[in-house]
Structures are given as structure tokens and as C-alpha cells.
Amino acid sequence: MSDGAAGPDVTAEVEDPHEGGFRAHTAITTDRGGPRYGEFSEQVRTLMDRVRYANPSPELTDELIGELAAINEKLAAVRIDEWHSPAGTRIDLPARGNITLPPYEVDEVNDDGVFATVTFRDFHLGGNAAAHGGQIAVAFDDLGGYASAVAIQGVSRTAYLTVQYRSITPLNTPLRCRTWAEKVDGRKVSIKGTLHDGDRLCAEMDALFIKLNPGQQ
């Protein structure tokens, strides 16, 4: 479920007090993880892409397991809590530096909604060079949460999200995504979304987000 991550255009490092399951505010940074964190994230994404299509020999598999185990040990030594992790807060990076999301760049936010460019990569393969439907839903969920946060200026949880797949969504192609709040009724935020490859509609989204009360998870 999305945390509806959005907020004011602020880049200073801040503390992250939180109540219930979310921060009291959205941390927005450009320096957590250092100046090369974006390169690090891209290398991880590339690894995911390569693994998706790899067919290593047993000998190479043994070698790679050792190398990956060593990397995982190094990363385990620098693990921190979710409130201070660079992933998800680096607004200068695709999908805020969150590699669990399909990478996207927010192009514009205005009264008509959130406009973004999404690229599904090799890792997001569903079959026959098309993006997996679940990955499309993940992108809609995050960008739908963004639109909800803009509409209510607060944090929300996904109550439901429905995707209609209208045509094939290609991999490694910049796609246009728009999400917007169709209606706000108290704590209920009705969100719509579209995903296009040029003029061709790939998918549509209909969702309901619920604004969280203070301290609510």
C-alpha cells in the first residue's frame, strides 16, 4: 500500500518524528547516502535487470553467490531504520531513490494532477517483452498516493486500487502517467490514473485512498 509520499519543495535534511505508522511529515532530501547514491541505486537496478535474463553456469552461480554474500554483509553493517534511509526520500532520483518501485520522474504537479514519466525495465518483465501487470499497479499505487497527498496535504493509505489493462505496456520505453484526485469526501480521496505509450492507452486506474488521522497506521 502506498504512503502517499509528497510534500513541499524542501531539500534540507530534517529529523523524522513519526506517529503510528508514518512520519509526522514527509522527509525530502537530496543528500542522504552521499552524492553517488544515485549511481549506487542504478547499479542495483542494473543487477536486477541482468539477473532477470541471466542463465549462469553452475560455476558462475557459485562465484556470484560468494560475491553477493559479501555485498550483503557490507550492506547489513550499515542498515538503519526506515525513517532515515535515503531510499524513498531522495527527490532528485527516479522514484525518490526507491528501487522497489518502477523508476519514474515527476514532470509536473498542478491542479490537473501529477504528471510523470515511467519506464518499466527488464526486471519488470511480465512476458513477451511486456511489463508485468503487478508492476503497473505498483507504479499507479505510488503515483496515486502522490496525487492523494497533493489533494489533501496529508498522508493516506490505499483502500482499494483497480487497474484496467487496455493494451500492452512495453518495457524500456518512457511512458506518460497521470494521476489525479477526482473527488475528496472527508477522509476519502477518489483517485484516477492513466498510462500512455504515445497516444495509445496502456492502462487506467481507479482507486480510493483514506487520509490517516494523527497517530494512525
Side-chain angles (χ1 to χ4, degrees):
M1 289 188 291
S2 170
D3 63 358
D9 185 13
V10 178
T11 58
E13 178 66 58
V14 293
E15 289 300 316
D16 292 328
H18 56 278
E19 299 178 357
F22 286 108
R23 299 179 180 92
H25 56 79
T26 299
I28 299 178
T29 68
T30 58
D31 55 5
R32 282 182 177 175
R36 300 189 66 187
Y37 187 80
E39 296 177 57
F40 167 72
S41 295
E42 177 58 26
Q43 287 297 323
V44 175
R45 286 191 184 276
T46 300
L47 173 65
M48 294 159 61
D49 290 338
R50 297 285 190 267
V51 170
R52 182 61 181 84
Y53 284 93
N55 182 24
S57 66
E59 294 76 19
L60 181 56
T61 297
D62 290 342
E63 180 182 343
L64 291 172
I65 288 172
E67 293 176 355
L68 290 170
I71 291 172
N72 282 328
E73 285 184 10
K74 291 180 180 180
L75 292 174
V78 293
R79 179 182 174 123
I80 59 175
D81 61 67
E82 67 175 280
W83 313 107
H84 297 87
S85 172
T89 66
R90 284 289 298 264
I91 61 169
D92 56 321
L93 302 179
R96 304 185 309 281
N98 188 345
I99 62 167
T100 66
L101 301 174
Y104 65 78
E105 300 275 0
V106 175
D107 302 313
E108 187 175 2
V109 180
N110 58 37
D111 291 342
D112 293 322
V114 176
F115 297 81
T117 300
V118 184
T119 303
F120 296 94
R121 297 171 53 147
D122 290 346
F123 176 75
H124 306 111
L125 174 69
N128 199 21
H132 193 290
Q135 297 289 347
I136 296 169
V138 168
F140 269 140
D141 192 23
D142 201 71
L143 287 165
Y146 197 138
S148 174
V150 170
I152 62 175
Q153 290 298 295
V155 178
S156 62
R157 280 278 197 184
T158 314
Y160 71 74
L161 186 146
T162 303
V163 179
Q164 295 82 38
Y165 300 97
R166 302 303 187 188
S167 63
I168 296 298
T169 298
L171 296 179
N172 301 307
T173 303
L175 307 171
R176 293 183 295 107
C177 184
R178 176 193 170 210
T179 56
W180 69 96
E182 183 179 58
K183 180 182 179 182
V184 178
D185 180 13
R187 295 172 56 207
K188 298 179 180 180
V189 189
S190 298
I191 298 292
K192 299 289 187 180
T194 57
L195 182 69
H196 281 84
D197 177 16
D199 293 331
R200 181 171 59 84
L201 178 63
C202 297
E204 294 179 288
M205 179 262 290
D206 174 64
L208 178 67
F209 288 78
I210 305 296
K211 182 178 181 179
L212 296 186
N213 290 322
Q216 190 174 18
Q217 295 188 350

